[in-house]
Amino acid sequence: MLFVGAGVVALGVAAFLADRALLALEARGWVYWRRTKTLSSIGADIAQEIAPGSQAVKRAMEQERVRKNVRPAQDPPFQVDLDKGTVRIRRPDR
């Protein structure tokens, strides 16, 4: 009976020490244990593909990226005439 009680106490102490060790590893960012719960990268990707709100955000971000890359057509602010050997530079505010 004494051995059973000692075994239960030893098991409790081992569980406590393992919990503390895993919390220390979690604080360093090595494992997720009790305090930080996140989806895996695969789970997060699946959740984002299913949710209609995230699809709308993704489309809006893509449209904004495309809009920023397309600039209105303008003449360059300078003209080079190689035959005459001249360069004309216009000010951008005019």
Side-chain angles (χ1 to χ4, degrees), residues 7-68:
V8 170
V9 169
L11 187 62
V13 169
F16 176 77
L17 292 176
D19 178 60
R20 288 297 164 185
L22 287 168
L23 283 175
L25 292 175
E26 184 181 35
R28 291 180 174 233
W30 292 349
V31 296
Y32 294 118
W33 177 238
R34 282 192 310 167
R35 307 209 183 198
T36 307
K37 297 292 182 191
T38 60
L39 290 174
S40 66
S41 63
I42 295 171
D45 290 341
I46 291 171
Q48 286 179 355
E49 291 299 323
I50 294 172
S54 66
Q55 291 175 354
V57 169
K58 188 186 297 185
R59 278 194 306 271
M61 289 175 64
E62 179 67 21
Q63 289 172 350
E64 183 68 16
R65 186 184 63 80
V66 169
R67 186 188 65 80
K68 284 183 178 179

Side-chain angles (χ1 to χ4, degrees), residues 67-83:
R67 186 188 65 80
K68 284 183 178 179
N69 286 337
V70 176
R71 294 195 167 84
Q74 287 183 343
D75 293 333
F78 57 89
Q79 294 176 345
V80 178
D81 188 352
L82 295 177
D83 294 331

